[in-house]
Amino acid sequence: MTDDSWVPDTCTLPTAERPLRLAEFDGLFRDALRGADRLTARHLRLRLDGRAEPVARDLIARESACCSFFTFDLGRPDGATVMIDIRVPAGRVAVLDALVLRATAARGR
């Protein structure tokens, strides 16, 4: 999935760096995603392998800096799992939709 037309204009990440960031998300999803639950249209919960916590923390910190509309909450329900709750405002549901598609596609590889 290489089309980034869903990336909102409010994203401050330079256009040239967007494919690299998308590749980082794809890698995290491919290597660590254990499940994804769409709790509401505006709320996604990801379950990751616990060993991915440093990578996940770094990635969501950088993503929060360029796309301030995201709300990320990271937790450790147990030693083997990292949970990330991702929320967006109503006007950004399409961005969350695209993230779900990326997670599904990356996990299937």
Side-chain angles (χ1 to χ4, degrees):
M1 183 179 222
T2 59
D3 178 26
D4 69 352
S5 63
W6 54 271
V7 176
D9 293 335
T10 57
C11 179
T12 61
L13 186 67
T15 303
E17 293 180 28
R18 291 178 186 173
L20 300 173
R21 178 69 53 84
L22 292 173
E24 288 183 85
F25 271 106
D26 290 346
L28 179 65
F29 296 150
R30 182 190 63 244
D31 297 341
L33 186 66
R34 299 299 176 252
D37 298 307
R38 190 71 175 264
L39 302 177
T40 70
R42 298 174 43 207
H43 183 186
L44 172 66
R45 177 171 289 155
L46 302 175
R47 290 181 315 282
L48 305 173
D49 183 294
R51 294 172 292 191
E53 183 175 357
V55 172
R57 281 191 184 280
D58 176 61
L59 186 55
I60 64 176
R62 288 183 291 123
E63 190 63 20
S64 294
C66 69
C67 290
S68 61
F69 61 84
F70 276 120
T71 300
F72 295 97
D73 293 307
L74 188 142
R76 290 288 302 236
D78 59 55
T81 307
V82 170
M83 297 267 258
I84 302 175
D85 284 295
I86 306 170
R87 293 177 180 86
V88 296
R92 299 293 184 211
V93 169
V95 176
L96 200 57
D97 292 342
L99 197 59
V100 169
L101 289 174
R102 293 196 82 80
T104 303
R107 191 170 182 211
R109 290 182 195 151

